Short mmCIF file of all heavy atoms in Angstrom, two decimals:
data_model
loop_
_atom_site.label_atom_id
_atom_site.label_comp_id
_atom_site.label_asym_id
_atom_site.label_seq_id
_atom_site.Cartn_x
_atom_site.Cartn_y
_atom_site.Cartn_z
N PRO A 155 33.51 -10.40 6.53
CA PRO A 155 33.10 -11.42 7.51
C PRO A 155 31.96 -10.86 8.44
O PRO A 155 32.05 -9.70 8.75
CB PRO A 155 34.27 -11.84 8.22
CG PRO A 155 35.40 -11.37 7.47
CD PRO A 155 34.89 -10.17 6.75
N HIS A 156 31.01 -11.78 8.79
CA HIS A 156 30.00 -11.36 9.67
C HIS A 156 28.95 -10.40 9.11
O HIS A 156 28.12 -9.85 9.85
CB HIS A 156 30.44 -10.93 11.05
CG HIS A 156 31.09 -12.11 11.83
ND1 HIS A 156 30.84 -12.29 13.10
CD2 HIS A 156 31.93 -13.06 11.39
CE1 HIS A 156 31.63 -13.33 13.55
NE2 HIS A 156 32.29 -13.81 12.56
N LEU A 157 29.15 -10.01 7.84
CA LEU A 157 28.19 -9.05 7.15
C LEU A 157 27.99 -9.51 5.76
O LEU A 157 27.69 -8.86 4.80
CB LEU A 157 28.87 -7.62 7.06
CG LEU A 157 28.86 -6.77 8.38
CD1 LEU A 157 29.72 -5.59 8.22
CD2 LEU A 157 27.39 -6.31 8.59
N LEU A 158 27.98 -10.89 5.54
CA LEU A 158 27.95 -11.44 4.23
C LEU A 158 26.67 -11.26 3.45
O LEU A 158 26.71 -10.90 2.27
CB LEU A 158 28.38 -12.83 4.17
CG LEU A 158 29.83 -13.14 4.21
CD1 LEU A 158 30.17 -14.63 4.10
CD2 LEU A 158 30.58 -12.52 2.94
N PRO A 159 25.49 -11.38 4.06
CA PRO A 159 24.28 -11.16 3.29
C PRO A 159 24.23 -9.69 2.82
O PRO A 159 23.94 -9.38 1.63
CB PRO A 159 23.26 -11.38 4.25
CG PRO A 159 23.72 -12.39 5.22
CD PRO A 159 25.21 -12.04 5.40
N TYR A 160 24.62 -8.76 3.67
CA TYR A 160 24.75 -7.30 3.35
C TYR A 160 25.66 -7.12 2.18
O TYR A 160 25.46 -6.36 1.22
CB TYR A 160 25.09 -6.56 4.58
CG TYR A 160 25.26 -5.08 4.42
CD1 TYR A 160 24.22 -4.17 4.40
CD2 TYR A 160 26.55 -4.57 4.26
CE1 TYR A 160 24.39 -2.75 4.31
CE2 TYR A 160 26.86 -3.14 4.15
CZ TYR A 160 25.68 -2.33 4.10
OH TYR A 160 25.97 -1.06 4.04
N ALA A 161 26.85 -7.72 2.39
CA ALA A 161 27.96 -7.43 1.36
C ALA A 161 27.69 -7.98 0.05
O ALA A 161 27.89 -7.35 -0.95
CB ALA A 161 29.31 -8.04 1.92
N CYS A 162 27.01 -9.13 -0.03
CA CYS A 162 26.62 -9.78 -1.36
C CYS A 162 25.55 -8.87 -2.06
O CYS A 162 25.66 -8.63 -3.21
CB CYS A 162 25.94 -11.22 -1.09
SG CYS A 162 27.33 -12.45 -0.62
N ALA A 163 24.57 -8.40 -1.26
CA ALA A 163 23.54 -7.59 -1.96
C ALA A 163 24.15 -6.19 -2.37
O ALA A 163 23.83 -5.66 -3.37
CB ALA A 163 22.31 -7.24 -0.90
N LYS A 164 25.04 -5.67 -1.56
CA LYS A 164 25.67 -4.40 -1.92
C LYS A 164 26.54 -4.60 -3.21
O LYS A 164 26.60 -3.61 -4.05
CB LYS A 164 26.38 -3.80 -0.79
CG LYS A 164 25.59 -3.24 0.32
CD LYS A 164 24.77 -2.10 -0.15
CE LYS A 164 24.00 -1.33 1.03
NZ LYS A 164 23.27 -0.22 0.55
N ALA A 165 27.23 -5.62 -3.30
CA ALA A 165 28.04 -5.92 -4.51
C ALA A 165 27.17 -5.94 -5.80
O ALA A 165 27.51 -5.40 -6.82
CB ALA A 165 28.73 -7.32 -4.35
N ALA A 166 26.04 -6.52 -5.68
CA ALA A 166 25.06 -6.51 -6.73
C ALA A 166 24.58 -5.06 -7.08
O ALA A 166 24.47 -4.67 -8.27
CB ALA A 166 23.75 -7.34 -6.50
N VAL A 167 24.47 -4.22 -6.11
CA VAL A 167 23.99 -2.89 -6.28
C VAL A 167 25.18 -2.13 -7.04
O VAL A 167 24.95 -1.33 -8.02
CB VAL A 167 23.73 -2.16 -4.92
CG1 VAL A 167 23.58 -0.57 -5.13
CG2 VAL A 167 22.48 -2.65 -4.41
N GLY A 168 26.43 -2.35 -6.72
CA GLY A 168 27.51 -1.74 -7.40
C GLY A 168 27.58 -2.17 -8.81
O GLY A 168 27.94 -1.13 -9.61
N THR A 169 27.36 -3.41 -9.13
CA THR A 169 27.35 -3.83 -10.49
C THR A 169 26.29 -3.20 -11.34
O THR A 169 26.37 -2.76 -12.47
CB THR A 169 27.27 -5.31 -10.60
OG1 THR A 169 28.30 -5.93 -9.98
CG2 THR A 169 27.25 -5.86 -12.12
N LEU A 170 25.00 -3.09 -10.64
CA LEU A 170 23.91 -2.46 -11.33
C LEU A 170 24.12 -1.02 -11.62
O LEU A 170 23.92 -0.57 -12.76
CB LEU A 170 22.70 -2.58 -10.32
CG LEU A 170 21.36 -1.90 -10.80
CD1 LEU A 170 20.71 -2.50 -12.02
CD2 LEU A 170 20.40 -1.73 -9.69
N GLY A 171 24.79 -0.33 -10.74
CA GLY A 171 25.12 1.12 -11.02
C GLY A 171 26.01 1.35 -12.12
O GLY A 171 25.84 2.30 -12.96
N GLU A 172 27.04 0.50 -12.16
CA GLU A 172 28.10 0.60 -13.33
C GLU A 172 27.32 0.37 -14.63
O GLU A 172 27.57 1.12 -15.58
CB GLU A 172 29.17 -0.32 -13.07
CG GLU A 172 30.08 0.10 -11.95
CD GLU A 172 31.20 -0.81 -11.70
OE1 GLU A 172 31.40 -1.80 -12.48
OE2 GLU A 172 31.95 -0.70 -10.73
N GLY A 173 26.51 -0.68 -14.72
CA GLY A 173 25.86 -1.02 -15.97
C GLY A 173 24.88 -0.01 -16.34
O GLY A 173 24.76 0.30 -17.58
N LEU A 174 24.06 0.52 -15.46
CA LEU A 174 23.11 1.59 -15.78
C LEU A 174 23.80 2.82 -16.20
O LEU A 174 23.33 3.55 -17.09
CB LEU A 174 22.15 1.90 -14.55
CG LEU A 174 21.19 0.81 -14.19
CD1 LEU A 174 20.40 1.19 -12.94
CD2 LEU A 174 20.25 0.46 -15.31
N ARG A 175 24.90 3.14 -15.68
CA ARG A 175 25.60 4.31 -16.05
C ARG A 175 25.94 4.27 -17.59
O ARG A 175 25.82 5.14 -18.21
CB ARG A 175 26.84 4.55 -15.22
CG ARG A 175 27.79 5.64 -15.66
CD ARG A 175 27.31 6.98 -15.03
NE ARG A 175 28.12 8.06 -15.53
CZ ARG A 175 28.29 9.25 -14.84
NH1 ARG A 175 27.65 9.44 -13.81
NH2 ARG A 175 29.02 10.26 -15.40
N ALA A 176 26.53 3.08 -17.93
CA ALA A 176 26.97 2.87 -19.28
C ALA A 176 25.79 2.89 -20.24
O ALA A 176 25.87 3.39 -21.39
CB ALA A 176 27.64 1.50 -19.44
N GLU A 177 24.58 2.34 -19.75
CA GLU A 177 23.48 2.25 -20.75
C GLU A 177 22.77 3.53 -20.83
O GLU A 177 22.03 3.80 -21.94
CB GLU A 177 22.55 1.13 -20.34
CG GLU A 177 23.18 -0.29 -20.50
CD GLU A 177 22.12 -1.35 -20.56
OE1 GLU A 177 20.94 -1.00 -20.92
OE2 GLU A 177 22.39 -2.52 -20.24
N TYR A 178 22.67 4.41 -19.88
CA TYR A 178 21.91 5.54 -19.90
C TYR A 178 22.59 6.87 -20.06
O TYR A 178 21.94 7.96 -20.17
CB TYR A 178 21.00 5.64 -18.64
CG TYR A 178 19.74 4.82 -18.64
CD1 TYR A 178 19.96 3.41 -18.34
CD2 TYR A 178 18.56 5.22 -19.14
CE1 TYR A 178 18.78 2.54 -18.43
CE2 TYR A 178 17.38 4.36 -19.18
CZ TYR A 178 17.60 3.11 -18.80
OH TYR A 178 16.50 2.18 -18.87
N GLN A 179 23.89 6.81 -20.14
CA GLN A 179 24.66 8.04 -20.27
C GLN A 179 24.29 8.81 -21.55
O GLN A 179 24.21 10.02 -21.69
CB GLN A 179 26.09 7.77 -20.30
CG GLN A 179 27.07 8.99 -20.34
CD GLN A 179 28.49 8.69 -20.04
OE1 GLN A 179 28.80 7.55 -19.62
NE2 GLN A 179 29.27 9.75 -19.97
N ALA A 180 24.07 8.01 -22.68
CA ALA A 180 23.77 8.70 -24.05
C ALA A 180 22.33 9.41 -23.91
O ALA A 180 22.11 10.28 -24.71
CB ALA A 180 23.71 7.65 -25.02
N ASP A 181 21.55 8.95 -22.89
CA ASP A 181 20.20 9.64 -22.81
C ASP A 181 20.27 10.92 -21.88
O ASP A 181 19.30 11.51 -21.55
CB ASP A 181 19.19 8.69 -22.18
CG ASP A 181 18.98 7.55 -23.13
OD1 ASP A 181 18.87 7.79 -24.32
OD2 ASP A 181 18.90 6.40 -22.71
N GLY A 182 21.48 11.24 -21.29
CA GLY A 182 21.59 12.36 -20.44
C GLY A 182 21.38 12.10 -19.01
O GLY A 182 21.30 13.02 -18.19
N VAL A 183 21.19 10.84 -18.68
CA VAL A 183 20.95 10.41 -17.24
C VAL A 183 22.26 10.16 -16.59
O VAL A 183 22.98 9.21 -17.22
CB VAL A 183 19.93 9.31 -17.20
CG1 VAL A 183 19.74 8.87 -15.66
CG2 VAL A 183 18.65 9.65 -17.77
N SER A 184 22.57 10.67 -15.53
CA SER A 184 23.82 10.21 -14.75
C SER A 184 23.49 9.24 -13.68
O SER A 184 22.37 9.40 -13.03
CB SER A 184 24.50 11.52 -14.23
OG SER A 184 23.70 12.09 -13.27
N VAL A 185 24.34 8.24 -13.52
CA VAL A 185 24.06 7.27 -12.46
C VAL A 185 25.32 7.35 -11.54
O VAL A 185 26.52 7.04 -12.07
CB VAL A 185 23.83 5.90 -12.99
CG1 VAL A 185 23.62 4.95 -11.74
CG2 VAL A 185 22.61 5.93 -13.94
N THR A 186 25.18 7.74 -10.34
CA THR A 186 26.34 7.75 -9.34
C THR A 186 26.28 6.54 -8.45
O THR A 186 25.16 6.50 -7.70
CB THR A 186 26.35 9.04 -8.64
OG1 THR A 186 26.41 10.10 -9.50
CG2 THR A 186 27.45 9.19 -7.68
N THR A 187 27.25 5.71 -8.27
CA THR A 187 27.30 4.76 -7.32
C THR A 187 28.19 5.06 -6.22
O THR A 187 29.34 5.48 -6.36
CB THR A 187 27.74 3.34 -8.07
OG1 THR A 187 27.00 3.01 -9.19
CG2 THR A 187 27.61 2.23 -7.10
N VAL A 188 27.79 4.96 -5.00
CA VAL A 188 28.39 5.34 -3.81
C VAL A 188 28.72 4.12 -3.00
O VAL A 188 27.91 3.34 -2.73
CB VAL A 188 27.63 6.37 -3.07
CG1 VAL A 188 28.28 6.84 -1.68
CG2 VAL A 188 26.96 7.58 -3.83
N HIS A 189 29.95 4.11 -2.56
CA HIS A 189 30.42 3.04 -1.64
C HIS A 189 30.89 3.58 -0.35
O HIS A 189 32.12 3.86 -0.33
CB HIS A 189 31.52 2.21 -2.34
CG HIS A 189 31.10 1.49 -3.61
ND1 HIS A 189 30.24 0.42 -3.59
CD2 HIS A 189 31.24 1.85 -4.89
CE1 HIS A 189 29.98 0.00 -4.75
NE2 HIS A 189 30.60 0.88 -5.68
N PRO A 190 30.14 3.75 0.66
CA PRO A 190 30.62 4.32 1.96
C PRO A 190 31.25 3.26 2.73
O PRO A 190 30.86 2.11 2.68
CB PRO A 190 29.30 4.89 2.62
CG PRO A 190 28.23 4.69 1.63
CD PRO A 190 28.68 3.74 0.62
N GLY A 191 32.15 3.63 3.56
CA GLY A 191 32.72 2.77 4.52
C GLY A 191 31.90 2.95 5.85
O GLY A 191 30.72 3.26 5.78
N LEU A 192 32.52 2.69 7.01
CA LEU A 192 31.67 2.85 8.31
C LEU A 192 31.39 4.22 8.43
O LEU A 192 32.21 5.18 8.16
CB LEU A 192 32.54 2.30 9.41
CG LEU A 192 32.80 0.74 9.47
CD1 LEU A 192 33.91 0.45 10.44
CD2 LEU A 192 31.47 0.01 9.78
N MET A 193 30.17 4.55 8.88
CA MET A 193 29.65 5.86 9.21
C MET A 193 28.97 5.92 10.56
O MET A 193 28.32 4.90 10.86
CB MET A 193 28.67 6.24 7.95
CG MET A 193 29.36 6.44 6.72
SD MET A 193 28.17 6.89 5.41
CE MET A 193 27.13 5.32 5.41
N ARG A 194 28.83 7.03 11.00
CA ARG A 194 28.19 7.26 12.26
C ARG A 194 26.75 7.71 11.92
O ARG A 194 26.38 8.88 11.99
CB ARG A 194 28.93 8.33 13.14
CG ARG A 194 30.26 7.81 13.55
CD ARG A 194 30.89 8.80 14.46
NE ARG A 194 31.30 10.03 13.94
CZ ARG A 194 32.43 10.21 13.26
NH1 ARG A 194 33.23 9.26 13.13
NH2 ARG A 194 32.74 11.45 12.89
#
Side-chain angles (χ1 to χ4, degrees):
H156 292 222
L157 282 165
L158 274 181
Y160 174 84
C162 290
K164 288 293 190 179
V167 169
T169 300
L170 176 68
E172 291 180 3
L174 290 177
R175 175 83 182 202
E177 291 203 28
Y178 280 84
Q179 187 166 353
D181 295 318
V183 178
S184 62
V185 181
T186 302
T187 307
V188 182
H189 297 286
L192 290 166
M193 291 176 297
R194 295 187 291 277

